[in-house]
């Protein structure tokens, strides 16, 4: 089925692509840990790879992507008293040269009595009101990352990173 491709020149490496991570995770799962059960292999792989995904770096990477694609930055915003449902929630503003364009509440850490479903919620959509003023969009992202220490170096595994980026 595959034509003879010996005449083709080797392709020069051009670096990692967005889809390469999924390929290598699946490759490792299917080839390196083939003799283990899927759940053990996934747990082992996630544990090994999590050291490459500190939460702080992931947040910075999202900001770099927003800068590159949309010329916008995430900037921390002050939280007013009783504005959030928990003291660990982070309030971030999406800002460009015209000013604040939206607000995102980040409820990232696992805690007692918190739903273990990772999700995003639209709190307020963007629109123009009756007087022509722009209403800023407001959303919340809920994740359940587990901190194993108090040093602000939370490591997230590839599954959590995938949820976080969606």
């Amino acid at each position: 089925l595959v034509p003879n491709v010996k005449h083709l020149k080797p392709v020069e490496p051009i670096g990692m692509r967005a889809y390469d991570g999924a390929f290598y995770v699946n490759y490792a799962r299917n080839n390196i840990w083939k003799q283990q059960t899927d759940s053990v292999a996934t747990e082992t792989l996630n544990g090994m790879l999590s050291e490459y995904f500190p939460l702080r770096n992931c947040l910075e990477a999202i900001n770099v992507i927003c800068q590159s694609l949309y010329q916008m930055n995430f900037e921390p915003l002050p939280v007013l008293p009783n504005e959030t449902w928990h003291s660990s929630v982070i309030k971030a503003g999406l800002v460009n040269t015209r000013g604040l364009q939206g607000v995102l509440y980040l409820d990232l850490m696992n805690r007692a009595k918190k739903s273990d479903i990772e999700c995003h919620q639209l709190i307020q959509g963007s629109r123009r009101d009756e007087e022509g003023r722009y209403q800023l969009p407001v959303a919340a992202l809920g994740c359940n990352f587990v901190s194993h220490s108090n040093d602000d170096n939370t490591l997230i595994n590839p599954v959590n990173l995938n949820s976080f980026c969606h």
Side-chain angles (χ1 to χ4, degrees):
L1 295 174
V2 178
N4 187 348
V5 292
K6 291 182 180 178
H7 66 282
L8 296 176
K9 295 180 182 177
V11 177
E12 290 294 319
I14 54 175
M16 292 286 284
R17 298 284 189 193
Y19 48 80
D20 288 342
F23 170 80
Y24 287 113
V25 167
N26 286 327
Y27 178 84
R29 184 179 297 129
N30 293 327
N31 295 297
I32 297 171
W33 289 284
K34 190 182 277 186
Q35 67 277 16
Q36 299 178 10
T37 65
D38 283 341
S39 62
V40 172
T42 299
E43 184 177 323
T44 302
L45 184 60
N46 281 337
M48 290 176 64
L49 293 178
S50 68
E51 70 182 87
Y52 296 102
F53 302 114
L55 179 57
R56 179 181 301 262
N57 291 2
C58 295
L59 290 168
E60 290 173 9
I62 294 291
N63 198 40
V64 168
I65 291 169
C66 286
Q67 288 171 352
S68 299
L69 295 177
Y70 308 111
Q71 292 73 49
M72 295 187 160
N73 295 307
F74 276 105
E75 297 179 0
L77 296 176
V79 178
L80 302 173
N82 300 319
E83 182 179 6
T84 62
W85 49 97
H86 193 269
S87 61
S88 66
V89 174
I90 300 166
K91 182 180 178 184
L94 190 58
V95 180
N96 67 8
T97 56
R98 294 178 292 168
L100 185 64
Q101 299 299 308
V103 176
L104 180 63
Y105 292 95
L106 301 168
D107 188 0
L108 302 177
M109 305 311 293
N110 191 3
R111 63 180 175 274
K113 298 183 180 179
K114 179 181 175 186
S115 171
D116 57 354
I117 298 172
E118 296 178 339
C119 64
H120 70 273
Q121 299 287 330
L122 178 64
I123 297 171
Q124 173 178 287
S126 64
R127 68 178 184 95
R128 296 229 179 254
D129 65 14
E130 296 80 25
E131 298 174 9
R133 293 178 301 207
Y134 180 67
Q135 175 178 286
L136 293 178
V138 179
L141 173 65
C143 293
N144 284 293
F145 304 144
V146 177
S147 178
H148 298 289
S149 65
N150 293 328
D151 62 1
D152 197 29
N153 282 330
T154 299
L155 301 176
I156 58 177
N157 65 43
V159 172
N160 292 139
L161 181 60
N162 188 43
S163 296
F164 177 68
C165 290
H166 278 90

